[in-house]
Amino acid sequence: MIHTTSLEFVNFLISCVRRFYVACFEYERLKARCMIESLLLGYSLGFSLILAIGAQNAFVLKAGLMRRFVLPITLLCAVSDAFLIFLGVFGLGAILDTLPDLIKWVRYAGALFLFFYGARSMASAWRGNQTLDVNGNVMSLRTSLLTCLALTFLNPHVYLDTVILVGGVANQTKMPLFFGLGATFASFTFFLGLGFGARLLRPLFSNSRTWQILDVGIAIVMWTIACNLLVFY
């Protein structure tokens, strides 16, 4: 009788241990599934938002075509996006909603800068002497990085997209941190791909006429965004 009871107790312990391991495995499986889903959702949303042509993308494209400071410019863009994304993930979006005056002044400053940069591109198109000669009249590394920062942080769209939208959606998911990591990875892949992939278009830019078209296109993009900032926001 004692021997039978002991066997039943051992079997009971084995059953408990087995159930415990099964429960742990299921928990880890569900956790991994939620993590992957959050990463993919964050990547999809981040990539779809950044894919639209804008001032920052046009600047990176031109830097890639010129092969001037491509790595520092693309990394700066991606790191800036990551910084803003995680500010949103950790709740800054709710704070920005309470500071409409701050967003208004950023909008005005951004529109002014975009008008200036658009005029600079249009002047370059008017001169028509731009080629792929990297030893020509180009910006220094410091000026390029400062311009990149201005195009990023003086654009209210970036706060709406990254801090408020991405941060807000991230906090509705089960794993907001991994959602933010997915959106951040999208920024890195997009900017690095755009900057270093632009060299594939270099044969099209072997003459000044193509550069004129690009500069006019950049100016139109800059001025359109500036007008939208002043009229629709």
Side-chain angles (χ1 to χ4, degrees):
M1 180 65 110
I2 296 177
H3 180 69
T4 302
T5 304
S6 298
L7 285 177
E8 291 176 350
F9 180 70
V10 170
N11 289 333
F12 172 74
L13 287 178
I14 294 174
S15 175
C16 289
V17 171
R18 184 183 296 114
R19 290 177 181 178
F20 174 76
Y21 276 107
V22 169
C24 289
F25 176 77
E26 285 296 319
Y27 172 76
E28 291 298 328
R29 187 177 67 84
L30 291 174
K31 185 178 178 180
R33 180 180 176 183
C34 289
M35 180 185 71
I36 294 173
E37 287 180 352
S38 295
L39 283 171
L40 291 177
L41 286 173
Y43 186 91
S44 300
L45 179 60
F47 200 87
S48 63
L49 290 174
I50 203 173
L51 189 60
I53 186 66
Q56 190 185 47
N57 298 354
F59 182 76
V60 173
L61 175 63
K62 189 168 184 178
L65 288 169
M66 294 291 293
R67 292 188 180 181
R68 297 284 298 187
F69 317 124
V70 180
L71 184 60
I73 287 174
T74 53
L75 287 180
L76 180 61
C77 289
V79 170
S80 298
D81 268 11
F83 172 72
L84 292 170
I85 286 168
F86 280 101
L87 283 182
V89 168
F90 292 115
L92 184 66
I95 298 176
L96 288 180
D97 283 339
T98 65
L99 299 171
D101 288 340
L102 176 61
I103 296 297
K104 180 181 71 175
W105 287 111
V106 170
R107 185 174 77 244
Y108 292 152
L112 180 63
F113 180 80
L114 290 172
F115 274 123
F116 167 77
Y117 194 88
R120 184 178 182 275
S121 295
M122 191 61 76
S124 176
W126 179 263
R127 289 193 300 268
N129 57 357
Q130 182 87 313
T131 65
L132 279 174
D133 180 14
V134 297
N135 296 317
N137 184 21
V138 294
M139 290 187 289
S140 65
L141 175 60
R142 179 175 180 272
T143 304
S144 297
L145 295 181
L146 289 176
T147 301
C148 185
L149 286 174
L151 290 172
T152 301
F153 291 99
L154 290 180
N155 181 9
H157 288 225
V158 75
Y159 299 101
L160 296 174
D161 288 347
T162 57
V163 179
I164 296 177
L165 181 57
V166 175
V169 174
N171 284 291
Q172 302 302 314
T173 63
K174 295 180 180 179
M175 292 189 170
L177 179 61
F178 285 96
F179 188 96
L181 286 174
T184 297
F185 185 61
S187 292
F188 274 89
T189 55
F190 176 83
F191 284 117
L192 289 172
L194 179 64
F196 288 98
R199 66 186 60 190
L200 299 176
L201 300 176
R202 282 174 65 87
L204 296 175
F205 290 84
S206 58
N207 61 79
S208 60
R209 178 64 63 184
T210 310
W211 276 107
Q212 284 180 292
I213 296 173
L214 177 65
D215 282 328
V216 169
I218 290 175
I220 292 173
V221 168
M222 301 293 181
W223 288 342
T224 301
I225 296 174
C227 290
N228 287 335
L229 292 178
L230 295 176
V231 176
F232 297 107
Y233 287 89

